[in-house]
Amino acid sequence: LKVKIGSGIIILASKADSKAFLLAAVTKDLTGRFKAGELIKRLAPIIGGKGGGTGDMAQAGGNLPEKLDEALKAVYKTVKEVDGK
């Protein structure tokens, strides 16, 4: 997906059984401005979990799959907050 979009931030969400999962990816040209790990650290509590990763890729897991929509709705706000640092 990173190759396909060229430049940007990708947030993927999924659920399996009673677990929620988030994945953040940041294209190399934006890692100076945005860190995938920072985005995930801010989004993971919404799904009742924790996460981490590197500047360009991070993941989180939680036990509140019903909150995935809320986490995805928080992405734009979270990106703006991280960018304001």
Side-chain angles (χ1 to χ4, degrees):
L1 284 175
K2 289 195 299 185
V3 170
K4 189 171 186 168
I5 67 168
S7 179
I9 297 169
I10 300 164
I11 306 290
L12 300 176
S14 68
K15 60 182 171 180
D17 300 321
S18 60
K19 300 291 183 186
F21 302 96
L22 293 171
L23 178 116
V26 178
T27 57
K28 293 283 185 192
D29 65 313
L30 295 178
T31 56
R33 215 168 128 194
F34 304 100
K35 303 287 185 226
E38 180 65 25
L39 295 169
I40 282 293
K41 283 182 187 177
R42 291 170 179 248
L43 295 169
I46 298 171
I47 61 166
K50 294 182 180 180
T54 63
D56 69 330
M57 184 85 61
Q59 60 185 353
N63 58 2
L64 300 173
E66 66 276 10
K67 299 279 192 161
L68 281 172
D69 285 341
E70 182 180 332
L72 289 175
K73 288 177 184 172
V75 169
Y76 288 108
K77 179 183 174 197
T78 303
V79 167
K80 286 180 183 179
E81 289 172 356
V82 170
D83 194 29
K85 281 188 160 185

Coordinates of all heavy atoms in Angstrom, one line a residue:
L1 N 0.8 -1.2 0.0 CA 0.0 0.0 0.0 C 0.8 1.3 0.0 O 0.5 2.2 -0.7 CB -0.9 0.0 1.2 CG -2.1 -0.9 1.2 CD1 -2.9 -0.9 2.5 CD2 -3.1 -0.5 0.0
K2 N 2.0 1.2 0.8 CA 2.8 2.4 0.8 C 3.4 2.8 -0.6 O 3.4 3.9 -1.0 CB 4.0 2.3 1.8 CG 3.5 2.3 3.2 CD 4.6 2.5 4.2 CE 5.6 1.4 4.2 NZ 6.6 1.6 5.3
V3 N 3.7 1.7 -1.4 CA 4.2 2.0 -2.7 C 3.1 2.5 -3.6 O 3.3 3.4 -4.4 CB 4.8 0.7 -3.3 CG1 5.1 0.8 -4.8 CG2 6.1 0.2 -2.5
K4 N 1.9 2.0 -3.4 CA 0.8 2.4 -4.2 C 0.4 3.8 -4.0 O 0.1 4.6 -5.0 CB -0.4 1.5 -4.0 CG -1.5 1.7 -4.9 CD -2.6 0.6 -4.8 CE -3.6 0.7 -5.9 NZ -4.5 -0.4 -6.0
I5 N 0.4 4.3 -2.7 CA 0.0 5.7 -2.5 C 1.1 6.7 -2.7 O 0.9 7.9 -2.9 CB -0.6 5.9 -1.1 CG1 0.4 5.7 0.0 CG2 -1.8 5.0 -0.9 CD1 -0.1 6.1 1.4
G6 N 2.4 6.2 -2.7 CA 3.5 7.1 -2.9 C 3.9 7.9 -1.7 O 5.0 7.8 -1.2
S7 N 3.0 8.7 -1.1 CA 3.3 9.5 0.1 C 2.0 9.6 0.9 O 0.9 10.0 0.4 CB 3.7 10.9 -0.4 OG 3.9 11.7 0.7
G8 N 2.1 9.2 2.2 CA 0.9 9.3 3.0 C 1.0 8.5 4.3 O 2.1 7.9 4.6
I9 N -0.1 8.4 5.0 CA -0.2 7.6 6.2 C -1.4 6.6 6.0 O -2.4 7.0 5.5 CB -0.6 8.6 7.4 CG1 0.6 9.5 7.6 CG2 -0.9 7.7 8.6 CD1 0.3 10.7 8.6
I10 N -1.1 5.4 6.4 CA -2.1 4.3 6.3 C -2.4 3.8 7.6 O -1.5 3.5 8.4 CB -1.6 3.2 5.4 CG1 -1.2 3.7 4.0 CG2 -2.6 2.0 5.3 CD1 -0.3 2.7 3.3
I11 N -3.7 3.7 8.0 CA -4.2 3.1 9.2 C -5.1 2.0 8.8 O -6.2 2.3 8.1 CB -4.9 4.1 10.1 CG1 -4.0 5.3 10.4 CG2 -5.3 3.4 11.4 CD1 -2.8 5.1 11.3
L12 N -4.8 0.8 9.2 CA -5.7 -0.4 8.9 C -6.3 -0.9 10.2 O -5.6 -0.8 11.3 CB -4.9 -1.5 8.2 CG -4.3 -1.1 6.9 CD1 -3.5 -2.3 6.4 CD2 -5.4 -0.8 5.9
A13 N -7.5 -1.4 10.2 CA -8.1 -1.9 11.4 C -8.8 -3.2 11.1 O -9.3 -3.4 10.0 CB -9.2 -0.9 11.9
S14 N -8.7 -4.2 12.0 CA -9.4 -5.4 11.8 C -9.8 -6.0 13.2 O -9.3 -5.5 14.2 CB -8.5 -6.4 11.1 OG -7.4 -6.8 11.9
K15 N -10.7 -7.0 13.1 CA -11.1 -7.7 14.4 C -11.1 -9.1 14.1 O -11.5 -9.6 13.0 CB -12.4 -7.1 14.9 CG -13.6 -7.3 14.0 CD -14.8 -6.7 14.7 CE -15.9 -6.6 13.8 NZ -17.1 -6.0 14.4
A16 N -10.8 -9.9 15.1 CA -10.8 -11.4 15.0 C -11.2 -11.9 16.4 O -10.6 -11.5 17.4 CB -9.5 -11.9 14.6
D17 N -12.2 -12.7 16.4 CA -12.7 -13.2 17.7 C -13.1 -12.0 18.6 O -13.9 -11.1 18.1 CB -11.8 -14.1 18.4 CG -11.4 -15.3 17.5 OD1 -12.4 -15.9 16.9 OD2 -10.3 -15.7 17.5
S18 N -12.6 -11.8 19.7 CA -12.9 -10.7 20.6 C -11.7 -9.7 20.7 O -11.6 -9.0 21.7 CB -13.3 -11.2 22.0 OG -12.2 -11.9 22.5
K19 N -10.9 -9.7 19.7 CA -9.7 -8.8 19.7 C -9.8 -7.8 18.6 O -10.4 -8.0 17.5 CB -8.4 -9.7 19.5 CG -8.2 -10.7 20.5 CD -7.8 -10.1 21.8 CE -7.5 -11.1 22.9 NZ -7.3 -10.6 24.2
A20 N -9.2 -6.6 18.8 CA -9.1 -5.6 17.8 C -7.6 -5.3 17.5 O -6.8 -5.5 18.3 CB -9.7 -4.3 18.4
F21 N -7.4 -5.0 16.2 CA -6.0 -4.8 15.8 C -5.9 -3.5 14.9 O -6.8 -3.2 14.1 CB -5.5 -6.0 14.9 CG -5.6 -7.3 15.7 CD1 -6.7 -8.1 15.5 CD2 -4.6 -7.7 16.5 CE1 -6.8 -9.3 16.2 CE2 -4.7 -8.8 17.2 CZ -5.8 -9.7 17.1
L22 N -4.9 -2.7 15.1 CA -4.6 -1.6 14.3 C -3.2 -1.7 13.8 O -2.3 -2.2 14.4 CB -4.7 -0.3 15.2 CG -6.0 0.1 15.7 CD1 -5.9 1.2 16.7 CD2 -7.0 0.5 14.6
L23 N -3.0 -1.2 12.6 CA -1.7 -1.1 12.0 C -1.5 0.3 11.4 O -2.4 0.8 10.7 CB -1.5 -2.1 10.9 CG -0.2 -2.1 10.2 CD1 0.6 -3.3 10.4 CD2 -0.4 -1.8 8.7
A24 N -0.4 0.9 11.6 CA -0.1 2.2 11.1 C 1.2 2.1 10.2 O 2.1 1.5 10.6 CB 0.1 3.3 12.2
A25 N 1.1 2.7 9.1 CA 2.3 2.8 8.2 C 2.4 4.2 7.7 O 1.5 4.9 7.3 CB 2.1 1.8 7.0
V26 N 3.7 4.7 7.6 CA 4.0 6.0 7.2 C 5.0 5.9 6.1 O 6.0 5.2 6.3 CB 4.5 6.9 8.3 CG1 4.9 8.3 7.8 CG2 3.5 7.0 9.5
T27 N 4.8 6.5 5.0 CA 5.8 6.5 3.9 C 7.1 7.2 4.3 O 7.1 8.1 5.1 CB 5.3 7.1 2.6 OG1 4.9 8.4 2.8 CG2 4.1 6.3 2.0
K28 N 8.2 6.7 3.8 CA 9.5 7.2 4.2 C 9.7 8.7 4.1 O 10.3 9.3 5.0 CB 10.6 6.5 3.3 CG 10.8 5.1 3.5 CD 11.5 4.8 4.8 CE 11.7 3.3 4.9 NZ 12.2 2.9 6.2
D29 N 9.0 9.3 3.1 CA 9.2 10.8 3.0 C 8.5 11.6 4.1 O 8.8 12.7 4.3 CB 8.6 11.3 1.6 CG 7.2 11.0 1.5 OD1 6.7 9.9 1.8 OD2 6.5 12.0 1.0
L30 N 7.6 10.9 4.9 CA 6.9 11.6 6.0 C 7.4 11.2 7.4 O 6.9 11.8 8.3 CB 5.4 11.4 5.8 CG 4.8 11.9 4.6 CD1 3.3 11.6 4.5 CD2 4.9 13.5 4.5
T31 N 8.3 10.3 7.5 CA 8.7 9.8 8.8 C 9.4 10.9 9.6 O 9.5 10.7 10.9 CB 9.6 8.5 8.7 OG1 10.7 8.8 7.9 CG2 8.8 7.3 8.2
G32 N 9.9 11.9 9.0 CA 10.5 13.0 9.8 C 9.4 13.8 10.5 O 9.7 14.5 11.5
R33 N 8.2 13.8 10.0 CA 7.1 14.6 10.5 C 6.1 13.7 11.3 O 5.6 14.2 12.3 CB 6.3 15.1 9.3 CG 5.7 16.4 9.5 CD 5.3 17.0 8.1 NE 3.9 17.4 8.3 CZ 3.1 17.7 7.2 NH1 3.5 17.6 6.0 NH2 1.9 18.1 7.4
F34 N 6.0 12.5 10.9 CA 5.0 11.6 11.6 C 5.7 10.2 11.9 O 6.4 9.7 11.0 CB 3.8 11.3 10.7 CG 3.1 12.5 10.2 CD1 3.3 13.0 9.0 CD2 2.2 13.1 11.1 CE1 2.6 14.2 8.5 CE2 1.5 14.3 10.6 CZ 1.7 14.8 9.4
K35 N 5.5 9.7 13.1 CA 6.0 8.4 13.4 C 4.8 7.5 13.6 O 3.9 7.8 14.4 CB 6.8 8.5 14.8 CG 8.0 9.5 14.7 CD 9.1 9.0 13.9 CE 10.3 9.9 14.0 NZ 10.9 10.2 12.7
A36 N 4.9 6.3 13.0 CA 3.8 5.4 13.1 C 3.6 4.9 14.5 O 2.5 4.8 15.0 CB 4.1 4.2 12.2
G37 N 4.7 4.8 15.3 CA 4.7 4.4 16.7 C 3.9 5.4 17.5 O 3.1 5.0 18.4
E38 N 4.1 6.6 17.3 CA 3.4 7.7 18.0 C 1.9 7.7 17.7 O 1.1 7.8 18.6 CB 4.0 9.1 17.7 CG 3.4 10.2 18.4 CD 3.5 10.2 19.9 OE1 4.5 9.6 20.4 OE2 2.7 10.7 20.6
L39 N 1.6 7.5 16.4 CA 0.2 7.4 16.1 C -0.5 6.2 16.8 O -1.6 6.4 17.3 CB 0.0 7.3 14.6 CG 0.5 8.5 13.7 CD1 0.5 8.2 12.3 CD2 -0.4 9.7 14.0
I40 N 0.1 5.1 16.7 CA -0.4 3.9 17.4 C -0.6 4.0 18.9 O -1.6 3.6 19.5 CB 0.4 2.6 17.0 CG1 0.1 2.2 15.6 CG2 0.2 1.5 18.0 CD1 -1.4 1.7 15.4
K41 N 0.4 4.6 19.5 CA 0.4 4.8 21.0 C -0.8 5.7 21.4 O -1.4 5.5 22.4 CB 1.6 5.5 21.5 CG 2.8 4.6 21.6 CD 4.0 5.4 22.1 CE 5.2 4.5 22.1 NZ 6.4 5.2 22.5
R42 N -1.2 6.6 20.5 CA -2.4 7.5 20.8 C -3.7 6.8 20.4 O -4.7 7.1 21.1 CB -2.3 8.8 20.0 CG -1.1 9.7 20.6 CD -0.9 10.8 19.6 NE 0.2 11.7 20.1 CZ 0.0 12.9 20.6 NH1 -1.2 13.4 20.6 NH2 1.0 13.6 21.0
L43 N -3.7 5.9 19.5 CA -5.0 5.3 19.0 C -5.2 4.0 19.8 O -6.4 3.6 20.0 CB -4.9 4.9 17.5 CG -4.8 6.1 16.6 CD1 -4.5 5.7 15.2 CD2 -6.2 6.9 16.7
A44 N -4.2 3.3 20.3 CA -4.4 2.0 20.9 C -5.3 2.0 22.2 O -6.1 1.1 22.3 CB -3.0 1.4 21.3
P45 N -5.2 3.0 23.0 CA -6.1 3.0 24.2 C -7.6 3.0 23.9 O -8.4 2.5 24.6 CB -5.7 4.3 24.9 CG -4.3 4.6 24.5 CD -4.2 4.1 23.1
I46 N -7.9 3.5 22.7 CA -9.3 3.5 22.3 C -9.8 2.1 22.2 O -11.0 1.8 22.5 CB -9.5 4.3 21.0 CG1 -9.1 5.8 21.2 CG2 -11.0 4.2 20.5 CD1 -9.1 6.6 19.9
I47 N -9.0 1.2 21.7 CA -9.4 -0.2 21.5 C -9.0 -1.0 22.7 O -9.1 -2.3 22.7 CB -8.9 -0.8 20.2 CG1 -7.3 -0.8 20.2 CG2 -9.5 -0.1 19.0 CD1 -6.7 -1.7 19.1
G48 N -8.6 -0.4 23.8 CA -8.3 -1.1 25.0 C -7.0 -1.8 25.0 O -6.8 -2.9 25.6
G49 N -6.0 -1.2 24.3 CA -4.8 -1.9 24.2 C -3.6 -1.0 24.2 O -3.6 0.2 24.5
K50 N -2.5 -1.6 23.8 CA -1.2 -0.9 23.7 C -0.6 -1.3 22.4 O -0.9 -2.3 21.7 CB -0.2 -1.3 24.8 CG -0.7 -0.9 26.2 CD 0.3 -1.3 27.2 CE -0.2 -0.9 28.6 NZ 0.8 -1.3 29.6
G51 N 0.4 -0.5 22.0 CA 1.1 -0.9 20.7 C 2.4 -0.1 20.6 O 2.8 0.6 21.5
G52 N 3.1 -0.4 19.6 CA 4.4 0.2 19.3 C 4.9 -0.2 18.0 O 4.3 -0.9 17.2
G53 N 6.1 0.4 17.7 CA 6.7 0.1 16.4 C 7.8 1.1 16.1 O 8.3 1.8 16.9
T54 N 8.1 1.2 14.8 CA 9.2 2.0 14.3 C 8.5 3.3 13.7 O 7.3 3.5 13.8 CB 10.0 1.3 13.3 OG1 9.2 1.0 12.1 CG2 10.6 0.0 13.8
G55 N 9.4 4.1 13.1 CA 8.9 5.3 12.5 C 8.0 5.1 11.3 O 7.1 5.9 11.1
D56 N 8.2 4.0 10.6 CA 7.4 3.8 9.4 C 6.3 2.7 9.6 O 5.5 2.6 8.7 CB 8.3 3.5 8.2 CG 9.0 2.2 8.3 OD1 9.3 1.7 9.4 OD2 9.3 1.6 7.2
M57 N 6.4 1.9 10.6 CA 5.4 0.8 10.8 C 5.2 0.5 12.3 O 6.1 0.4 13.0 CB 5.9 -0.5 10.1 CG 4.9 -1.6 10.1 SD 3.7 -1.6 8.8 CE 4.7 -1.7 7.4
A58 N 3.9 0.4 12.7 CA 3.6 0.1 14.1 C 2.2 -0.7 14.1 O 1.4 -0.6 13.2 CB 3.5 1.4 14.9
Q59 N 2.0 -1.4 15.2 CA 0.8 -2.1 15.4 C 0.4 -2.1 16.8 O 1.2 -1.9 17.7 CB 1.0 -3.6 14.8 CG 2.0 -4.4 15.5 CD 2.2 -5.7 14.9 OE1 1.5 -6.1 14.0 NE2 3.2 -6.5 15.3
A60 N -0.9 -2.4 17.0 CA -1.5 -2.5 18.3 C -2.6 -3.5 18.4 O -3.2 -3.8 17.3 CB -2.1 -1.1 18.7
G61 N -2.8 -4.0 19.5 CA -3.9 -5.0 19.7 C -4.7 -4.6 21.0 O -4.1 -4.0 21.9
G62 N -5.9 -4.9 21.0 CA -6.8 -4.5 22.2 C -7.9 -5.5 22.3 O -8.2 -6.3 21.5
N63 N -8.7 -5.3 23.4 CA -9.8 -6.2 23.7 C -11.2 -5.5 23.5 O -12.1 -6.0 24.0 CB -9.6 -6.8 25.1 CG -9.6 -5.7 26.1 OD1 -9.7 -4.6 25.9 ND2 -9.4 -6.2 27.4
L64 N -11.2 -4.4 22.8 CA -12.5 -3.7 22.5 C -12.7 -3.5 21.0 O -12.7 -2.4 20.5 CB -12.4 -2.3 23.2 CG -12.3 -2.3 24.7 CD1 -12.1 -0.9 25.2 CD2 -13.4 -3.0 25.4
P65 N -13.0 -4.6 20.3 CA -13.2 -4.5 18.9 C -14.4 -3.6 18.5 O -14.4 -3.0 17.4 CB -13.5 -6.0 18.4 CG -13.9 -6.7 19.6 CD -13.2 -6.0 20.8
E66 N -15.3 -3.5 19.4 CA -16.5 -2.6 19.2 C -16.1 -1.1 19.1 O -16.9 -0.3 18.6 CB -17.6 -2.8 20.2 CG -17.2 -2.3 21.6 CD -16.4 -3.4 22.5 OE1 -16.0 -4.4 21.9 OE2 -16.3 -3.1 23.7
K67 N -14.9 -0.8 19.5 CA -14.4 0.6 19.4 C -13.5 0.9 18.2 O -12.9 2.0 18.1 CB -13.5 0.9 20.7 CG -14.3 0.8 22.0 CD -15.1 2.0 22.2 CE -15.6 2.0 23.7 NZ -16.0 3.3 24.1
L68 N -13.4 -0.1 17.3 CA -12.6 0.2 16.1 C -13.1 1.4 15.3 O -12.3 2.2 14.8 CB -12.5 -1.1 15.2 CG -11.6 -2.2 15.7 CD1 -11.7 -3.4 14.9 CD2 -10.1 -1.7 15.6
D69 N -14.4 1.5 15.1 CA -14.9 2.7 14.4 C -14.5 4.0 15.0 O -14.1 4.9 14.4 CB -16.4 2.6 14.2 CG -16.9 1.6 13.2 OD1 -16.1 1.2 12.4 OD2 -18.1 1.2 13.3
E70 N -14.6 4.0 16.4 CA -14.2 5.2 17.1 C -12.7 5.5 16.9 O -12.3 6.6 16.7 CB -14.4 5.0 18.6 CG -14.1 6.2 19.5 CD -14.4 5.9 20.9 OE1 -15.3 5.1 21.3 OE2 -13.8 6.6 21.8
A71 N -11.8 4.4 16.9 CA -10.4 4.6 16.7 C -10.1 5.2 15.3 O -9.3 6.1 15.1 CB -9.7 3.3 16.9
L72 N -10.8 4.7 14.3 CA -10.6 5.2 12.9 C -11.1 6.6 12.8 O -10.5 7.4 12.1 CB -11.4 4.3 11.9 CG -10.7 2.9 11.8 CD1 -11.6 2.0 10.8 CD2 -9.3 3.0 11.2
K73 N -12.2 7.0 13.5 CA -12.7 8.3 13.4 C -11.7 9.3 14.1 O -11.6 10.5 13.8 CB -14.0 8.5 14.1 CG -15.1 7.8 13.3 CD -16.5 7.9 14.0 CE -17.5 7.2 13.1 NZ -18.8 7.0 13.8
A74 N -10.9 8.8 15.0 CA -9.9 9.6 15.7 C -8.6 9.8 15.0 O -7.7 10.6 15.4 CB -9.6 9.0 17.1
V75 N -8.4 9.1 13.8 CA -7.2 9.2 13.1 C -6.9 10.6 12.6 O -5.7 11.1 12.9 CB -7.2 8.2 11.9 CG1 -6.0 8.5 11.0 CG2 -7.2 6.8 12.4
Y76 N -7.8 11.3 12.0 CA -7.5 12.7 11.5 C -7.1 13.6 12.7 O -6.1 14.4 12.5 CB -8.7 13.3 10.8 CG -8.9 12.6 9.4 CD1 -10.0 11.7 9.2 CD2 -8.0 12.8 8.4 CE1 -10.2 11.1 8.0 CE2 -8.2 12.2 7.1 CZ -9.3 11.3 7.0 OH -9.5 10.7 5.8
K77 N -7.8 13.6 13.8 CA -7.5 14.4 14.9 C -6.1 14.0 15.4 O -5.3 14.9 15.8 CB -8.5 14.2 16.0 CG -8.2 15.0 17.3 CD -9.3 14.7 18.3 CE -8.9 15.4 19.6 NZ -9.6 14.9 20.8
T78 N -5.8 12.8 15.5 CA -4.5 12.3 16.0 C -3.4 12.7 15.1 O -2.3 13.2 15.6 CB -4.5 10.7 16.2 OG1 -5.6 10.4 17.0 CG2 -3.2 10.2 16.7
V79 N -3.5 12.6 13.8 CA -2.5 13.1 12.9 C -2.3 14.6 13.0 O -1.1 15.0 13.1 CB -2.9 12.7 11.4 CG1 -2.0 13.4 10.4 CG2 -2.9 11.2 11.2
K80 N -3.3 15.4 13.2 CA -3.1 16.8 13.4 C -2.4 17.1 14.7 O -1.6 18.0 14.8 CB -4.5 17.5 13.4 CG -5.1 17.6 12.0 CD -6.5 18.3 12.1 CE -7.1 18.3 10.7 NZ -8.4 19.0 10.7
E81 N -2.7 16.4 15.8 CA -2.0 16.6 17.1 C -0.6 16.2 16.9 O 0.3 17.0 17.4 CB -2.7 15.7 18.1 CG -4.1 16.1 18.6 CD -4.7 15.1 19.5 OE1 -4.2 14.0 19.7 OE2 -5.8 15.5 19.9
V82 N -0.2 15.1 16.3 CA 1.2 14.7 16.1 C 1.9 15.7 15.3 O 3.1 16.1 15.5 CB 1.3 13.3 15.6 CG1 2.7 12.9 15.2 CG2 0.7 12.3 16.6
D83 N 1.2 16.2 14.2 CA 1.9 17.2 13.3 C 2.1 18.5 14.0 O 3.1 19.2 13.7 CB 1.0 17.4 12.1 CG 1.7 18.1 11.0 OD1 3.0 18.0 10.9 OD2 1.1 18.8 10.2
G84 N 1.3 18.8 15.0 CA 1.5 20.1 15.8 C 2.7 20.1 16.7 O 3.0 21.2 17.3
K85 N 3.3 19.0 16.9 CA 4.4 18.9 17.9 C 5.6 19.7 17.4 O 5.9 19.8 16.3 CB 4.8 17.5 18.1 CG 3.9 16.8 19.1 CD 4.5 15.4 19.4 CE 3.9 14.9 20.7 NZ 4.5 13.7 21.1

